[in-house]
Amino acid sequence: MGSIMGIRHPIIRIFFYLILGAWSITVLYPLLWTLLDALKDNKQFYANPPWALPDVPLLWSNFTYVWETYNFGKYFTNSLIVTLGSTVLGLVLSATTAYVLARYPFRGSNVLFLLYISSMMVPFSLALIPLFFLMNKLNLINTSIGLILVYATTLIAFGVFVLVGFFKTLPKELEEAAAIDGASYFGTFFRVMLPLSQPGLVTVAIVNILNIWNEYFVGLVLVNDPDHYTLPIGIAVMQAEMQYRTEWGPLFAGLFISIVPVLIMYIFFQRQIASGITAGAVK
């Protein structure tokens, strides 16, 4: 927005504002549509166009209904535990790996870095069958810990790819000053280097949270116990349980419940996301 305000020609500024306005409408329209349909019953849904405003009174009870009847409270809690646990574990593993590769190069470190990057190009679906047998042998099927371990390890490559660039640009004098003050390798990493890489950490965390929160395929393969369903699986199960009579209001309410946490997170961390991407590009 600041770069647009710096444009002096009024016609060009209006043109950019129109583009941003059109883009905002295309982004907000699906969210508004989902909320409006979540406040309707089936009679309103079939009698009026999908984009029509709901009748008064608004059916806010659809949210309570789907939360209690279809166990969305349990699914929401499971998604929250799995997402936060795998994100924290993935950040710790990727940050420590990236720090070693960036600050303490050794013979074969470049090859190892390329292996991490190349693993991002391999479709994860190819590993699902051996992964299922491995998790079953470790008794981690139908457990939140199993999902956390799988998600965390699959996100290491992206974290290493982003954070290596951040760690390489940090001045070596910081490590030397920390060593003079008596800091150990771990103390230097956690007290000095890790806080300085906060923009990269936030960027990696946001991307990981979005991927994990919306992930469906791996969760469907590794979890068949309703007590451990995450939100994407819960929505699919909910639609299947409706069978021949789809309750559109509660279904859209469930979809909106799954959208709200990600939307709130982006609203609060949009500046960090933008600064992290920009800093990573410059570095």
Side-chain angles (χ1 to χ4, degrees):
M1 184 63 70
S3 60
I4 295 178
M5 294 300 294
I7 299 176
R8 296 182 179 181
H9 200 288
I11 297 180
I12 298 179
R13 288 178 59 181
I14 293 174
F15 174 73
F16 277 108
Y17 279 125
L18 290 175
I19 293 178
L20 290 177
W23 176 256
S24 300
I25 292 174
T26 58
V27 172
L28 294 176
Y29 176 71
L31 299 176
L32 181 60
W33 188 8
T34 303
L35 177 59
L36 292 178
D37 287 341
L39 301 176
K40 300 177 183 178
D41 56 16
N42 275 10
K43 182 178 179 180
Q44 297 180 49
F45 192 88
Y46 289 114
N48 302 316
W51 54 85
L53 295 175
D55 298 335
V56 179
L58 303 178
L59 296 180
W60 294 102
S61 59
N62 283 339
F63 290 92
T64 305
Y65 174 75
V66 75
W67 187 269
E68 297 177 352
T69 304
Y70 289 99
N71 296 323
F72 261 62
K74 183 67 174 178
Y75 303 155
F76 187 91
T77 303
N78 291 339
S79 287
L80 195 62
I81 294 174
V82 170
T83 301
L84 293 180
S86 54
T87 299
V88 172
L89 180 60
L91 279 178
V92 172
L93 295 176
S94 58
T96 51
T97 304
Y99 180 68
V100 172
L101 293 176
R103 309 300 294 190
Y104 300 98
F106 52 89
R107 181 178 297 178
S109 59
N110 290 331
V111 176
L112 183 60
F113 177 71
L114 291 176
L115 287 176
Y116 274 109
I117 303 305
S118 61
S119 66
M120 298 170 60
M121 298 182 291
V122 179
F124 188 70
S125 57
L126 297 179
L128 273 180
I129 294 178
L131 177 63
F132 174 82
F133 287 108
L134 174 63
M135 301 297 286
N136 187 43
K137 189 174 183 179
L138 296 174
N139 295 321
L140 292 176
I141 297 294
N142 292 324
T143 63
S144 298
I145 296 178
L147 286 179
I148 290 174
L149 293 176
V150 171
Y151 289 147
T153 53
T154 55
L155 298 173
I156 293 177
F158 175 75
V160 170
F161 172 70
V162 174
L163 294 176
V164 163
F166 279 88
F167 287 126
K168 281 186 176 181
T169 58
L170 297 179
K172 189 173 181 61
E173 290 75 12
L174 295 174
E175 293 173 306
E176 295 174 350
I180 293 175
D181 291 337
S184 62
Y185 289 111
F186 289 99
T188 302
F189 173 70
F190 285 106
R191 296 181 182 179
V192 180
M193 310 302 283
L194 198 61
L196 291 175
S197 62
Q198 181 181 356
L201 293 174
V202 172
T203 302
V204 174
I206 296 300
V207 174
N208 290 350
I209 289 173
L210 291 176
N211 290 332
I212 299 170
W213 187 265
N214 297 317
E215 203 285 321
Y216 170 76
F217 196 42
V218 175
L220 182 65
V221 173
L222 298 182
V223 175
N224 52 41
D225 184 359
D227 289 335
H228 296 282
Y229 283 164
T230 56
L231 272 177
I233 304 175
I235 293 174
V237 171
M238 172 184 174
Q239 187 176 14
E241 289 179 352
M242 291 178 179
Q243 294 182 352
Y244 303 107
R245 183 181 181 275
T246 301
E247 298 178 86
W248 291 106
L251 184 58
F252 276 99
L255 289 173
F256 194 78
I257 289 174
S258 66
I259 295 172
V260 167
V262 176
L263 186 62
I264 294 176
M265 179 191 64
Y266 184 80
I267 291 175
F268 280 100
F269 293 99
Q270 56 180 326
R271 292 184 180 273
Q272 288 84 346
I273 296 172
S275 62
I277 294 176
T278 303
V282 173
K283 295 178 180 180

